[in-house]
Amino acid sequence: MASSDAAPDAAPDAVATSRTGVRVRPARTADVRAIRSLVAPLAEARVLLQKEAVAYYESVADFVVAETDGADGTSPRVVGCGALHVLWEDLGEVRTLAVDRSVLGLGVGSALMTRLVERAHELGLSRLFCLTFETAFFARHGFEAIEGQAVEPAVYAELLRSYDEGVAEFLDLERVKPNTLGNTRMLRVL
């Protein structure tokens, strides 16, 4: 489980996890290469979409990363990432949640999710959306599958004006269907 105690030299909003020996902290531009490396095998498997490098730099403030503590004399290494993207006044999307295969099952994904939910609370969001193949993981974190629209018609009309492909996925628009086949739309009320 994630601990709210940050490591002594951690970033102010880092979260240390004793079980995994990793900490979760806000992403920096220097982390973009590692984020892309984490996403690459999942993009090849068509689980996540690979984006151009510029898209990651543009959204780096949305990301948190999990990194090893480097206690064994090695440099810290990014072993997970996730992003929280605000869609509307009360609604955000958990995006690009990825964990290195070497640490799967050790709670890294849960530590990332905990930090993203904390960030959602800090921003005043009351609902989180995700589009995922990993329904069991998200269900364990309070998400439920949804059908139809999760916003009222006036908000839907405003969201249609967005250029963000993630918003198009949230709205379940026909133009993004080929990229989202088999994914489940899920929502968590905070």
Side-chain angles (χ1 to χ4, degrees):
M1 276 299 179
S3 164
S4 61
D5 299 325
D9 59 346
D13 56 347
V15 177
T17 63
S18 58
R19 187 176 131 199
T20 61
V22 300
R23 67 179 182 142
V24 177
R25 61 165 175 78
R28 300 185 283 259
T29 56
D31 298 319
V32 168
R33 283 190 177 94
I35 291 169
R36 291 189 79 214
S37 293
L38 287 166
V39 171
L42 297 169
E44 286 176 26
R46 300 183 56 94
V47 173
L48 290 177
L49 292 176
Q50 181 65 278
K51 301 174 198 164
E52 298 298 327
V54 67
Y56 288 104
Y57 285 110
E58 289 173 342
S59 63
V60 74
D62 290 351
F63 277 86
V64 294
V65 295
E67 68 179 6
T68 59
D69 60 13
D72 59 358
T74 61
S75 297
R77 179 175 68 98
V78 172
V79 294
C81 65
L84 174 64
H85 184 77
V86 175
L87 298 175
W88 198 249
E89 178 181 6
D90 65 333
L91 179 66
E93 180 182 6
V94 174
R95 294 182 173 179
T96 321
L97 189 61
V99 175
D100 188 278
R101 294 182 62 84
S102 68
V103 295
L104 282 177
L106 298 178
V108 174
S110 291
L112 288 161
M113 181 64 75
T114 296
R115 182 61 193 116
L116 294 172
V117 170
E118 288 170 355
R119 182 72 180 128
H121 282 292
E122 292 166 3
L123 290 169
L125 302 177
S126 59
R127 299 179 301 155
L128 288 178
F129 168 79
C130 71
L131 183 66
T132 186
F133 289 106
E134 301 294 335
T135 56
F137 172 84
F138 281 93
R140 283 193 308 273
H141 291 88
F143 286 78
E144 295 180 1
I146 60 169
E147 298 289 331
Q149 288 306 319
V151 293
E152 61 219 33
V155 173
Y156 181 91
E158 288 292 329
L159 289 173
L160 281 173
R161 299 174 188 199
S162 175
Y163 293 105
D164 188 296
E165 286 299 304
V167 173
E169 292 169 350
F170 169 73
L171 297 175
D172 205 24
L173 299 180
E174 284 298 320
R175 68 181 168 87
V176 295
K177 293 277 187 198
N179 292 330
T180 62
L181 290 176
N183 281 327
T184 300
R185 300 169 75 239
M186 300 183 81
L187 192 70
R188 175 178 170 179
V189 176
L190 302 177

